[in-house]
Amino acid sequence: MSAFNTSEIQISTFLLIGIPGLEHVHIWISIPICLIYIIATIGNCIILYLIKTEASLHEPMYYFLSMLAISDLGLTLSSLPTMLRIFLFNATRISIDACIAQEFFIHTFTAMESSVLLIMSLDRFIAISNPLRYSSILTNTTIIKIGLIFAIRCLVLIFPFPITLKRLRYCKRNLLSHSYCLHQDIMRLACSDNRVNVIFGFFVALIGMLDLAIISMSYILILKTVLGIASHQERLKALNTCISHICAVLIFYVPIITLAIVHRFAKHASPLIRILIADIFVLIPPLMNPIVYCVKTRQIREKVLGKLCLKKA
């Protein structure tokens, strides 16, 4: 009986889920997902190319924007191929090792995006509150150090996820709740003690909320600084430099907070709501961030239009 419990019922694969009840139109749903995948990849690559090749964009704000584009690309490449496989070919089966690897990359790039948004809020605060010393404070060396520190922070936070998931036993249940693998989703399927995963997952979530709290505090200080500026035109000019970043913060955090609220206060709500919000979380930020920055940031918009005009000529 002991051999049966440890080997017979131990599972080796998980089943991902598409959109329940709409299996007959999965092939049509795959079309907009495929377009989002293509546009997000091209858009973020364009941002990286422009920042690398245009000397006028070699400034702290754009270096941080390139970090955001890298995290968006990572989130796209680690999640959307699995979604496309489900909606195009109805291939829902994924090995446990592949699933754990995917959740590691998704959580790593999610943590990286949260960190970059935090750095960008501090960048905007320094630029508005101390514009004369902005370049001397955020030197290239400082930017590299900041990037490395936050990259190490992300790896230290997320690296225990696959280790703690790997030590768990999985039996009987193998149906995941989303079109991609997440830590909290995998650990719920374990038939062994997962308290370490629950505690550490809660700790990582608190770090994410701390990032949001610091971003909010930065904007409170920015608003206080802007209100102290005498000229109305200068106030608008200062706030205008923050609009793109505010949009990026909202695009990233609103789905996360909404999903947390649904899980906490609407446990009996349709699973379809949770699935759609979770899909929005990985689909929309990588798609919208390059669009927002191209539309709202004059320097990037002019460079993109300039490249397009040269090609037409």
Side-chain angles (χ1 to χ4, degrees), residues 110-145:
T110 299
M112 189 182 296
E113 182 138 355
S114 177
S115 298
V116 173
L117 290 172
L118 168 59
I119 296 169
M120 294 176 82
S121 71
L122 299 176
D123 166 74
R124 291 297 84 208
F125 171 67
I126 294 171
I128 290 172
S129 64
N130 208 339
L132 296 179
R133 294 187 58 211
Y134 177 68
S135 298
S136 61
I137 294 173
L138 291 175
T139 62
N140 289 344
T141 303
T142 304
I143 291 168
I144 291 170
K145 288 179 180 178

Side-chain angles (χ1 to χ4, degrees), residues 1-11 169-171:
M1 188 67 181
S2 176
F4 175 80
N5 284 337
T6 57
S7 61
E8 293 276 332
I9 60 176
Q10 185 108 10
I11 61 173
R169 289 179 57 250
Y170 303 95
C171 48

Side-chain angles (χ1 to χ4, degrees), residues 42-88:
I42 293 174
N44 285 292
C45 285
I46 288 173
I47 294 286
L48 289 172
Y49 173 76
L50 287 175
I51 293 172
K52 184 179 185 299
T53 57
E54 296 293 336
S56 61
L57 299 181
H58 293 175
E59 297 178 8
M61 173 183 171
Y62 302 109
Y63 289 140
F64 296 136
L65 178 56
S66 67
M67 295 179 192
L68 184 66
I70 290 170
S71 61
D72 279 336
L73 274 175
L75 188 59
T76 299
L77 295 173
S78 58
S79 59
L80 288 195
T82 303
M83 297 177 69
L84 285 174
R85 192 164 61 93
I86 293 169
F87 289 106
L88 277 173

Side-chain angles (χ1 to χ4, degrees), residues 4-23:
F4 175 80
N5 284 337
T6 57
S7 61
E8 293 276 332
I9 60 176
Q10 185 108 10
I11 61 173
S12 60
T13 59
F14 291 135
L15 294 177
L16 296 166
I17 194 169
I19 300 181
L22 296 177
E23 288 82 1

